[in-house]
Amino acid sequence: MRESSLAKTVGAQSVPRKRPIVAIVGRPNVGKSTLFNRLIGERKAIVDDLPGVTRDRNYAEAEWAGRRYLLVDTGGLDSAGGGLAENVQAQSRLAVAEAAAVIFLFDGKGGLNPLDREAVDELRKADKPVFFAVNKLDSRQRADNLYEFYALGIDSLYSISAEHGLGIPDLLDDVARRFPGAAENSDEDEGTGHKTAEPLHVAVVGRPNVGKSTLINRLLGFERSVVDSRPGTTRDSLDTPFELLGEACILVDTAGIRRKARIDDRIERFSVNRSLRAVDRGDLIVHLIDGPEGVTDQDAQILSYAVQRGKALLLAVNKWDLVSKGDGGVEKYRDEVKYRLPFLEFAPIVFMSAATGYGVRKSLETALRVVKAYRRKVSTSSLNQALQKIVRAHAAPLSHGKPVKFYYGTQTGTEPPTFTLFVNLPRAVPESYRKYLTNQLRQLLEFGPAPIRLHLRGRREQGNKNRS
């Protein structure tokens, strides 16, 4: 399938943007990520003294004076040096192109730079409001540094310190005045007065250079993430509005996950922690496996982490076009994955090539099926009919000569589907029988690709609850 056709299919570019986008741009190391973190109120972007830490566009929701907007952190606008540097430049220019307003940062500590003039000349060509702010003016000695930037012919300059929050309110007041009308910036569905549902968070994870950013770019239909052949190109977890076959969601592109013993650079170490946090934030985890390399211990560790947290999972074998198809092909490979990951018997396995588009459409359809099962709710009567059928087919082992009796059950949660079963001897039910119950409930109640959590409680506990 051609990339443009796929983008149309998934609706990535047709998602209506109800909130204006504000892009933060500037040369490397002028404090863009520090300002980004200040405005969203959390440490989402990686902040370091090394230039060029932020490579991709990094989206987050922010609010000022009751107005919500999407804030975008970017790599530095600089003279492109080819290769990865040139790709980073392209990311910044795309951010400016899609933004409703732009905040351009100067370095008030380092002073005026010839590259600032080039960037200002380029931004003057953009048909949108640009707010020029001189950052790092956090002392009386540095305050006078503001005036040298007027040599660029800018009428209005904002003196700020992103690190200490100085001058930020005046800047944001003026930015917010240029936002579209309140109706376009509302959290409510037009004409209904009801708030929109929380979008599904889809986290794309995997080891470095497995093809995560390539898949993100194919799904979105444009160069969302910097793609480079070197492992670890994507350092931040990056959020992007996305539509999965009609399902509104947020696509989270994560930094590659490596063994901690192999991580020497402090930025990469912070990125690993961010990737694990992305698993925590995700509802659906799409874990990419390198097709030619196969399942590794690191894959198993991360997937185990996701299972413990009850996440919906899709295993995607990427670079399938590079795998030898002899000796059984798909089925043999699937059996090998299941052998290496026996705790993931419920998770579907798909085969794709993010680079060519092979299998991507089918993967999206499978992902949607996983999400529906993950959110599914069954009636109490259906659950208890299934429970009685399961127990009659194979009763629990006796406990010190006493039978274990299952009275009834109820579904007590979704995402993941959670069931509470009331039994006379909950501690006497062995782990093997719990697994049997879980697998049978998944099959009879059609929760196939979803993880299931099972809680066993004594009947007396329910009676106390009712009396309270």
Side-chain angles (χ1 to χ4, degrees), residues 286-300:
V286 179
H287 186 97
L288 292 191
I289 295 172
D290 190 300
E293 186 172 350
V295 177
T296 67
D297 291 342
Q298 187 70 1
D299 290 318

Side-chain angles (χ1 to χ4, degrees), residues 264-283:
D264 298 323
D265 185 270
R266 62 186 183 277
I267 298 171
E268 293 292 348
R269 189 181 305 113
F270 188 73
S271 294
V272 167
N273 294 334
R274 176 67 46 73
S275 297
L276 296 178
R277 284 175 53 194
V279 171
D280 286 326
R281 291 180 54 229
D283 302 304

Side-chain angles (χ1 to χ4, degrees), residues 197-247:
E198 181 70 19
L200 179 80
H201 280 71
V202 181
V204 180
V205 303
R207 291 176 293 107
N209 213 30
V210 75
K212 298 181 297 298
S213 293
T214 302
L215 177 61
I216 295 292
N217 290 339
R218 178 165 290 279
L219 295 180
L220 296 176
F222 60 88
E223 290 294 317
R224 168 62 186 85
S225 295
V226 172
V227 178
D228 189 79
S229 59
R230 287 169 287 176
T233 300
T234 303
R235 287 171 168 173
D236 263 328
S237 297
L238 306 163
D239 295 0
T240 308
F242 175 67
E243 189 171 296
L244 173 66
L245 302 181
E247 174 80 20

